[in-house]
PDB file of all heavy atoms in Angstrom:
ATOM      1  N   ARG A 506     -16.311  26.390 -40.991  1.00  0.00           N
ATOM      2  CA  ARG A 506     -17.156  27.208 -41.864  1.00  0.00           C
ATOM      3  C   ARG A 506     -16.427  28.421 -42.330  1.00  0.00           C
ATOM      4  O   ARG A 506     -16.533  28.799 -43.526  1.00  0.00           O
ATOM      5  CB  ARG A 506     -18.421  27.605 -41.061  1.00  0.00           C
ATOM      6  CG  ARG A 506     -19.446  28.450 -41.804  1.00  0.00           C
ATOM      7  CD  ARG A 506     -20.534  28.870 -40.933  1.00  0.00           C
ATOM      8  NE  ARG A 506     -21.488  29.733 -41.620  1.00  0.00           N
ATOM      9  CZ  ARG A 506     -22.471  29.334 -42.383  1.00  0.00           C
ATOM     10  NH1 ARG A 506     -22.648  27.986 -42.508  1.00  0.00           N
ATOM     11  NH2 ARG A 506     -23.329  30.187 -42.942  1.00  0.00           N
ATOM     12  N   ARG A 507     -15.615  29.065 -41.501  1.00  0.00           N
ATOM     13  CA  ARG A 507     -14.878  30.281 -41.890  1.00  0.00           C
ATOM     14  C   ARG A 507     -13.862  29.961 -42.934  1.00  0.00           C
ATOM     15  O   ARG A 507     -13.557  30.703 -43.779  1.00  0.00           O
ATOM     16  CB  ARG A 507     -14.232  30.939 -40.710  1.00  0.00           C
ATOM     17  CG  ARG A 507     -15.192  31.558 -39.671  1.00  0.00           C
ATOM     18  CD  ARG A 507     -14.425  32.212 -38.606  1.00  0.00           C
ATOM     19  NE  ARG A 507     -13.629  33.328 -39.108  1.00  0.00           N
ATOM     20  CZ  ARG A 507     -12.655  33.941 -38.414  1.00  0.00           C
ATOM     21  NH1 ARG A 507     -12.379  33.579 -37.159  1.00  0.00           N
ATOM     22  NH2 ARG A 507     -11.895  34.880 -38.988  1.00  0.00           N
ATOM     23  N   GLN A 508     -13.220  28.786 -42.749  1.00  0.00           N
ATOM     24  CA  GLN A 508     -12.173  28.396 -43.715  1.00  0.00           C
ATOM     25  C   GLN A 508     -12.656  27.633 -44.885  1.00  0.00           C
ATOM     26  O   GLN A 508     -11.834  27.222 -45.776  1.00  0.00           O
ATOM     27  CB  GLN A 508     -11.115  27.550 -42.963  1.00  0.00           C
ATOM     28  CG  GLN A 508     -10.498  28.272 -41.798  1.00  0.00           C
ATOM     29  CD  GLN A 508      -9.711  29.463 -42.172  1.00  0.00           C
ATOM     30  OE1 GLN A 508      -9.006  29.441 -43.236  1.00  0.00           O
ATOM     31  NE2 GLN A 508      -9.835  30.543 -41.438  1.00  0.00           N
ATOM     32  N   ARG A 509     -13.961  27.342 -44.942  1.00  0.00           N
ATOM     33  CA  ARG A 509     -14.551  26.559 -46.043  1.00  0.00           C
ATOM     34  C   ARG A 509     -13.899  25.199 -46.159  1.00  0.00           C
ATOM     35  O   ARG A 509     -13.592  24.765 -47.300  1.00  0.00           O
ATOM     36  CB  ARG A 509     -14.435  27.376 -47.327  1.00  0.00           C
ATOM     37  CG  ARG A 509     -15.229  28.646 -47.287  1.00  0.00           C
ATOM     38  CD  ARG A 509     -15.118  29.451 -48.605  1.00  0.00           C
ATOM     39  NE  ARG A 509     -15.931  30.697 -48.565  1.00  0.00           N
ATOM     40  CZ  ARG A 509     -15.976  31.568 -49.521  1.00  0.00           C
ATOM     41  NH1 ARG A 509     -15.365  31.335 -50.691  1.00  0.00           N
ATOM     42  NH2 ARG A 509     -16.696  32.685 -49.385  1.00  0.00           N
ATOM     43  N   ARG A 510     -13.740  24.526 -45.106  1.00  0.00           N
ATOM     44  CA  ARG A 510     -13.269  23.203 -45.113  1.00  0.00           C
ATOM     45  C   ARG A 510     -14.343  22.204 -44.474  1.00  0.00           C
ATOM     46  O   ARG A 510     -15.095  22.668 -43.593  1.00  0.00           O
ATOM     47  CB  ARG A 510     -11.937  23.050 -44.284  1.00  0.00           C
ATOM     48  CG  ARG A 510     -10.772  23.785 -44.915  1.00  0.00           C
ATOM     49  CD  ARG A 510      -9.473  23.465 -44.195  1.00  0.00           C
ATOM     50  NE  ARG A 510      -8.321  24.099 -44.721  1.00  0.00           N
ATOM     51  CZ  ARG A 510      -7.638  23.694 -45.793  1.00  0.00           C
ATOM     52  NH1 ARG A 510      -7.999  22.624 -46.451  1.00  0.00           N
ATOM     53  NH2 ARG A 510      -6.547  24.344 -46.247  1.00  0.00           N
ATOM     54  N   PRO A 511     -14.392  20.987 -44.883  1.00  0.00           N
ATOM     55  CA  PRO A 511     -15.322  20.108 -44.312  1.00  0.00           C
ATOM     56  C   PRO A 511     -15.060  19.973 -42.848  1.00  0.00           C
ATOM     57  O   PRO A 511     -13.935  19.717 -42.377  1.00  0.00           O
ATOM     58  CB  PRO A 511     -15.077  18.764 -45.073  1.00  0.00           C
ATOM     59  CG  PRO A 511     -14.453  19.234 -46.343  1.00  0.00           C
ATOM     60  CD  PRO A 511     -13.615  20.429 -45.960  1.00  0.00           C
ATOM     61  N   TRP A 512     -16.122  19.963 -42.061  1.00  0.00           N
ATOM     62  CA  TRP A 512     -16.018  19.893 -40.563  1.00  0.00           C
ATOM     63  C   TRP A 512     -15.391  18.554 -40.147  1.00  0.00           C
ATOM     64  O   TRP A 512     -14.522  18.533 -39.282  1.00  0.00           O
ATOM     65  CB  TRP A 512     -17.425  20.024 -39.948  1.00  0.00           C
ATOM     66  CG  TRP A 512     -17.460  19.869 -38.513  1.00  0.00           C
ATOM     67  CD1 TRP A 512     -16.777  20.633 -37.583  1.00  0.00           C
ATOM     68  CD2 TRP A 512     -18.240  18.987 -37.748  1.00  0.00           C
ATOM     69  NE1 TRP A 512     -17.045  20.196 -36.317  1.00  0.00           N
ATOM     70  CE2 TRP A 512     -17.980  19.173 -36.356  1.00  0.00           C
ATOM     71  CE3 TRP A 512     -19.081  17.980 -38.100  1.00  0.00           C
ATOM     72  CZ2 TRP A 512     -18.557  18.483 -35.327  1.00  0.00           C
ATOM     73  CZ3 TRP A 512     -19.760  17.245 -37.033  1.00  0.00           C
ATOM     74  CH2 TRP A 512     -19.477  17.471 -35.759  1.00  0.00           C
ATOM     75  N   LEU A 513     -15.830  17.419 -40.752  1.00  0.00           N
ATOM     76  CA  LEU A 513     -15.234  16.130 -40.323  1.00  0.00           C
ATOM     77  C   LEU A 513     -13.753  16.021 -40.740  1.00  0.00           C
ATOM     78  O   LEU A 513     -12.998  15.328 -40.070  1.00  0.00           O
ATOM     79  CB  LEU A 513     -16.040  15.056 -40.937  1.00  0.00           C
ATOM     80  CG  LEU A 513     -17.379  14.688 -40.302  1.00  0.00           C
ATOM     81  CD1 LEU A 513     -18.126  13.596 -41.081  1.00  0.00           C
ATOM     82  CD2 LEU A 513     -17.142  14.218 -38.840  1.00  0.00           C
ATOM     83  N   GLN A 514     -13.384  16.730 -41.800  1.00  0.00           N
ATOM     84  CA  GLN A 514     -11.976  16.698 -42.126  1.00  0.00           C
ATOM     85  C   GLN A 514     -11.129  17.413 -41.060  1.00  0.00           C
ATOM     86  O   GLN A 514     -10.060  16.916 -40.672  1.00  0.00           O
ATOM     87  CB  GLN A 514     -11.737  17.479 -43.503  1.00  0.00           C
ATOM     88  CG  GLN A 514     -10.364  17.453 -44.048  1.00  0.00           C
ATOM     89  CD  GLN A 514     -10.230  18.337 -45.294  1.00  0.00           C
ATOM     90  OE1 GLN A 514      -9.653  19.318 -45.316  1.00  0.00           O
ATOM     91  NE2 GLN A 514     -10.837  17.790 -46.364  1.00  0.00           N
ATOM     92  N   VAL A 515     -11.695  18.510 -40.497  1.00  0.00           N
ATOM     93  CA  VAL A 515     -11.033  19.150 -39.376  1.00  0.00           C
ATOM     94  C   VAL A 515     -10.963  18.257 -38.142  1.00  0.00           C
ATOM     95  O   VAL A 515      -9.907  18.127 -37.504  1.00  0.00           O
ATOM     96  CB  VAL A 515     -11.751  20.523 -39.092  1.00  0.00           C
ATOM     97  CG1 VAL A 515     -11.098  21.228 -37.877  1.00  0.00           C
ATOM     98  CG2 VAL A 515     -11.762  21.419 -40.286  1.00  0.00           C
ATOM     99  N   MET A 516     -12.097  17.630 -37.842  1.00  0.00           N
ATOM    100  CA  MET A 516     -12.110  16.764 -36.650  1.00  0.00           C
ATOM    101  C   MET A 516     -11.191  15.571 -36.785  1.00  0.00           C
ATOM    102  O   MET A 516     -10.564  15.114 -35.820  1.00  0.00           O
ATOM    103  CB  MET A 516     -13.527  16.354 -36.404  1.00  0.00           C
ATOM    104  CG  MET A 516     -14.552  17.445 -36.051  1.00  0.00           C
ATOM    105  SD  MET A 516     -13.915  18.548 -34.763  1.00  0.00           S
ATOM    106  CE  MET A 516     -13.643  17.468 -33.415  1.00  0.00           C
ATOM    107  N   ASP A 517     -11.118  15.020 -38.048  1.00  0.00           N
ATOM    108  CA  ASP A 517     -10.186  13.906 -38.197  1.00  0.00           C
ATOM    109  C   ASP A 517      -8.700  14.294 -38.007  1.00  0.00           C
ATOM    110  O   ASP A 517      -7.894  13.516 -37.611  1.00  0.00           O
ATOM    111  CB  ASP A 517     -10.272  13.372 -39.623  1.00  0.00           C
ATOM    112  CG  ASP A 517     -11.580  12.556 -39.815  1.00  0.00           C
ATOM    113  OD1 ASP A 517     -12.228  12.218 -38.756  1.00  0.00           O
ATOM    114  OD2 ASP A 517     -11.963  12.272 -40.966  1.00  0.00           O
ATOM    115  N   LEU A 518      -8.410  15.603 -38.300  1.00  0.00           N
ATOM    116  CA  LEU A 518      -7.052  16.129 -38.083  1.00  0.00           C
ATOM    117  C   LEU A 518      -6.831  16.215 -36.549  1.00  0.00           C
ATOM    118  O   LEU A 518      -5.773  15.851 -36.031  1.00  0.00           O
ATOM    119  CB  LEU A 518      -6.902  17.494 -38.721  1.00  0.00           C
ATOM    120  CG  LEU A 518      -5.621  18.262 -38.379  1.00  0.00           C
ATOM    121  CD1 LEU A 518      -4.457  17.669 -39.085  1.00  0.00           C
ATOM    122  CD2 LEU A 518      -5.782  19.725 -38.659  1.00  0.00           C
ATOM    123  N   VAL A 519      -7.818  16.747 -35.807  1.00  0.00           N
ATOM    124  CA  VAL A 519      -7.668  17.060 -34.431  1.00  0.00           C
ATOM    125  C   VAL A 519      -7.660  15.782 -33.532  1.00  0.00           C
ATOM    126  O   VAL A 519      -6.884  15.702 -32.567  1.00  0.00           O
ATOM    127  CB  VAL A 519      -8.835  18.037 -33.981  1.00  0.00           C
ATOM    128  CG1 VAL A 519      -8.800  18.173 -32.458  1.00  0.00           C
ATOM    129  CG2 VAL A 519      -8.703  19.322 -34.661  1.00  0.00           C
ATOM    130  N   ALA A 520      -8.475  14.821 -33.876  1.00  0.00           N
ATOM    131  CA  ALA A 520      -8.743  13.729 -32.991  1.00  0.00           C
ATOM    132  C   ALA A 520      -7.483  12.972 -32.427  1.00  0.00           C
ATOM    133  O   ALA A 520      -7.342  12.771 -31.253  1.00  0.00           O
ATOM    134  CB  ALA A 520      -9.676  12.701 -33.643  1.00  0.00           C
ATOM    135  N   PRO A 521      -6.521  12.554 -33.250  1.00  0.00           N
ATOM    136  CA  PRO A 521      -5.355  11.905 -32.720  1.00  0.00           C
ATOM    137  C   PRO A 521      -4.418  12.787 -31.913  1.00  0.00           C
ATOM    138  O   PRO A 521      -3.589  12.247 -31.173  1.00  0.00           O
ATOM    139  CB  PRO A 521      -4.612  11.443 -33.993  1.00  0.00           C
ATOM    140  CG  PRO A 521      -5.616  11.551 -35.160  1.00  0.00           C
ATOM    141  CD  PRO A 521      -6.461  12.711 -34.696  1.00  0.00           C
ATOM    142  N   CYS A 522      -4.582  14.088 -31.933  1.00  0.00           N
ATOM    143  CA  CYS A 522      -3.736  14.950 -31.204  1.00  0.00           C
ATOM    144  C   CYS A 522      -4.247  15.201 -29.726  1.00  0.00           C
ATOM    145  O   CYS A 522      -3.563  15.790 -28.927  1.00  0.00           O
ATOM    146  CB  CYS A 522      -3.601  16.282 -31.876  1.00  0.00           C
ATOM    147  SG  CYS A 522      -3.006  16.228 -33.629  1.00  0.00           S
ATOM    148  N   VAL A 523      -5.488  14.771 -29.498  1.00  0.00           N
ATOM    149  CA  VAL A 523      -6.123  15.135 -28.234  1.00  0.00           C
ATOM    150  C   VAL A 523      -5.725  14.252 -27.077  1.00  0.00           C
ATOM    151  O   VAL A 523      -5.516  14.697 -25.951  1.00  0.00           O
ATOM    152  CB  VAL A 523      -7.702  15.050 -28.357  1.00  0.00           C
ATOM    153  CG1 VAL A 523      -8.444  15.182 -27.044  1.00  0.00           C
ATOM    154  CG2 VAL A 523      -8.169  16.146 -29.335  1.00  0.00           C
ATOM    155  N   PRO A 524      -5.553  12.946 -27.197  1.00  0.00           N
ATOM    156  CA  PRO A 524      -5.283  12.042 -26.062  1.00  0.00           C
ATOM    157  C   PRO A 524      -4.031  12.425 -25.264  1.00  0.00           C
ATOM    158  O   PRO A 524      -4.020  12.225 -24.018  1.00  0.00           O
ATOM    159  CB  PRO A 524      -5.128  10.608 -26.669  1.00  0.00           C
ATOM    160  CG  PRO A 524      -5.985  10.674 -27.909  1.00  0.00           C
ATOM    161  CD  PRO A 524      -5.781  12.090 -28.451  1.00  0.00           C
ATOM    162  N   VAL A 525      -3.007  12.912 -25.892  1.00  0.00           N
ATOM    163  CA  VAL A 525      -1.878  13.361 -25.138  1.00  0.00           C
ATOM    164  C   VAL A 525      -2.188  14.450 -24.126  1.00  0.00           C
ATOM    165  O   VAL A 525      -1.720  14.408 -22.980  1.00  0.00           O
ATOM    166  CB  VAL A 525      -0.704  13.772 -26.052  1.00  0.00           C
ATOM    167  CG1 VAL A 525       0.449  14.411 -25.233  1.00  0.00           C
ATOM    168  CG2 VAL A 525      -0.192  12.576 -26.880  1.00  0.00           C
ATOM    169  N   GLY A 526      -2.972  15.353 -24.581  1.00  0.00           N
ATOM    170  CA  GLY A 526      -3.491  16.462 -23.632  1.00  0.00           C
ATOM    171  C   GLY A 526      -4.271  15.831 -22.517  1.00  0.00           C
ATOM    172  O   GLY A 526      -4.150  16.345 -21.380  1.00  0.00           O
ATOM    173  N   LEU A 527      -5.145  14.867 -22.788  1.00  0.00           N
ATOM    174  CA  LEU A 527      -5.911  14.179 -21.778  1.00  0.00           C
ATOM    175  C   LEU A 527      -4.970  13.525 -20.763  1.00  0.00           C
ATOM    176  O   LEU A 527      -5.201  13.634 -19.523  1.00  0.00           O
ATOM    177  CB  LEU A 527      -6.872  13.198 -22.406  1.00  0.00           C
ATOM    178  CG  LEU A 527      -7.839  13.741 -23.332  1.00  0.00           C
ATOM    179  CD1 LEU A 527      -8.741  12.609 -23.855  1.00  0.00           C
ATOM    180  CD2 LEU A 527      -8.795  14.800 -22.662  1.00  0.00           C
ATOM    181  N   ALA A 528      -3.904  12.896 -21.268  1.00  0.00           N
ATOM    182  CA  ALA A 528      -2.961  12.298 -20.360  1.00  0.00           C
ATOM    183  C   ALA A 528      -2.297  13.283 -19.424  1.00  0.00           C
ATOM    184  O   ALA A 528      -2.184  12.991 -18.196  1.00  0.00           O
ATOM    185  CB  ALA A 528      -1.904  11.478 -21.198  1.00  0.00           C
ATOM    186  N   LEU A 529      -1.896  14.353 -19.974  1.00  0.00           N
ATOM    187  CA  LEU A 529      -1.252  15.387 -19.175  1.00  0.00           C
ATOM    188  C   LEU A 529      -2.255  15.985 -18.119  1.00  0.00           C
ATOM    189  O   LEU A 529      -1.841  16.206 -16.973  1.00  0.00           O
ATOM    190  CB  LEU A 529      -0.686  16.535 -20.023  1.00  0.00           C
ATOM    191  CG  LEU A 529       0.490  16.113 -20.885  1.00  0.00           C
ATOM    192  CD1 LEU A 529       0.755  17.191 -21.985  1.00  0.00           C
ATOM    193  CD2 LEU A 529       1.735  15.972 -20.051  1.00  0.00           C
ATOM    194  N   GLY A 530      -3.510  16.084 -18.469  1.00  0.00           N
ATOM    195  CA  GLY A 530      -4.497  16.568 -17.525  1.00  0.00           C
ATOM    196  C   GLY A 530      -4.636  15.597 -16.363  1.00  0.00           C
ATOM    197  O   GLY A 530      -4.788  16.014 -15.251  1.00  0.00           O
ATOM    198  N   ARG A 531      -4.569  14.261 -16.611  1.00  0.00           N
ATOM    199  CA  ARG A 531      -4.701  13.316 -15.541  1.00  0.00           C
ATOM    200  C   ARG A 531      -3.446  13.337 -14.615  1.00  0.00           C
ATOM    201  O   ARG A 531      -3.594  13.044 -13.411  1.00  0.00           O
ATOM    202  CB  ARG A 531      -4.871  11.861 -16.124  1.00  0.00           C
ATOM    203  CG  ARG A 531      -6.194  11.677 -16.885  1.00  0.00           C
ATOM    204  CD  ARG A 531      -7.405  12.192 -16.154  1.00  0.00           C
ATOM    205  NE  ARG A 531      -8.631  12.093 -16.832  1.00  0.00           N
ATOM    206  CZ  ARG A 531      -9.760  12.635 -16.473  1.00  0.00           C
ATOM    207  NH1 ARG A 531      -9.823  13.365 -15.272  1.00  0.00           N
ATOM    208  NH2 ARG A 531     -10.899  12.509 -17.188  1.00  0.00           N
ATOM    209  N   ILE A 532      -2.294  13.612 -15.215  1.00  0.00           N
ATOM    210  CA  ILE A 532      -1.152  13.793 -14.370  1.00  0.00           C
ATOM    211  C   ILE A 532      -1.322  14.978 -13.396  1.00  0.00           C
ATOM    212  O   ILE A 532      -0.991  14.921 -12.224  1.00  0.00           O
ATOM    213  CB  ILE A 532       0.081  14.004 -15.192  1.00  0.00           C
ATOM    214  CG1 ILE A 532       0.464  12.747 -15.988  1.00  0.00           C
ATOM    215  CG2 ILE A 532       1.329  14.466 -14.388  1.00  0.00           C
ATOM    216  CD1 ILE A 532       0.874  11.616 -15.111  1.00  0.00           C
TER     217      ILE A 532
END
Side-chain angles (χ1 to χ4, degrees):
R506 181 182 177 86
R507 290 184 61 193
Q508 300 298 319
R509 298 182 180 179
R510 292 189 181 277
W512 177 58
L513 282 176
Q514 185 184 109
V515 177
M516 296 310 303
D517 285 347
L518 171 78
V519 169
C522 307
V523 171
V525 172
L527 300 179
L529 290 166
R531 296 310 177 191
I532 291 296

